[in-house]
Amino acid sequence: MTLRELEKYFNDFLHLENFTADISLNGVQIQNSAPESKQITKVAFAVDACEESAKKAAEWGAQLLFVHHGIFWGHPETITGSLYKKVSVFLQNDMALYGCHAPLDANNPYGNNFGLAARLNLRDVEKFGQWRGMYFGVKGRLESPLTIQELAEKVLAKGETPMHILPFGQKSISTVGIVSGGGDDNIDEALRDGLDAFITGEIGHSSYHFVKESCINVIAGGHYQTETIGVQQVMKKLAKETGIQTTFIDIPTNL
């Protein structure tokens, strides 16, 4: 497939057109030298478009790197310093970059939040977590009640541990809201909806006492750890449906 064909393939199920309020420049951020004709046979996937992920993708022979966090975020930048280092890897290796931020958080079933919900086998799943007028999180009911420790163990991948567990709600958890990445702003929404627990990636210091005083359980699973599932699900879909070689480049930030 060419870059243009892959761009259409991704756009057809990620529906970038529904997320115009996201300034993340979703889609192709860097093209290759012949987007209409050059065949792409190897696609690498990563959470972040950083110098390390770009170099590892190029070393593996990828002609395209698909990421959740791209390089460009909707405002003009000079191509200097760290940005130059990243961009130069793509240009020197004629490797394209495709970024997908909010659409990948929200996608059903391939996105981060629906993926995390699937790990918990959530029932009665609904949209949750507003950001700039868009919903990109989910909420639902567990098959059977869990403790907060059991919930943390189920929602993260094997071997991962949460950054923080704030066990300030009821001991038996039945309803859960999920917003991957940074979800501080959605704690209020979880409270309004009467949820027993809220799962996100990271929370700030200022949220601690608010969570404690509001008597809700919160799990901060790590920004990175809650956002590896989306790119990996897209990777599996691509490999299965097209036969293109894929690889996941794991670069944990421990944040």
Side-chain angles (χ1 to χ4, degrees), residues 63-85:
Q63 298 106 350
L64 171 65
L65 175 62
F66 181 109
V67 298
H68 180 46
H69 300 133
I71 289 178
F72 303 106
W73 294 87
H75 54 82
E77 294 185 69
T78 57
I79 312 297
T80 59
S82 171
L83 185 56
Y84 172 80
K85 289 181 179 180

Side-chain angles (χ1 to χ4, degrees), residues 17-64:
E17 69 278 3
N18 295 335
F19 297 88
T20 54
D22 183 6
I23 64 169
S24 307
L25 298 184
N26 295 299
V28 175
Q29 294 194 345
I30 300 175
Q31 70 168 54
N32 59 17
S33 60
E36 306 285 352
S37 59
K38 184 177 180 179
Q39 291 297 305
I40 292 177
T41 59
K42 301 178 79 172
V43 178
F45 290 78
V47 174
D48 304 303
C50 58
E51 184 183 14
E52 184 177 359
S53 62
K55 284 184 174 180
K56 286 185 175 180
E59 289 167 3
W60 181 69
Q63 298 106 350
L64 171 65

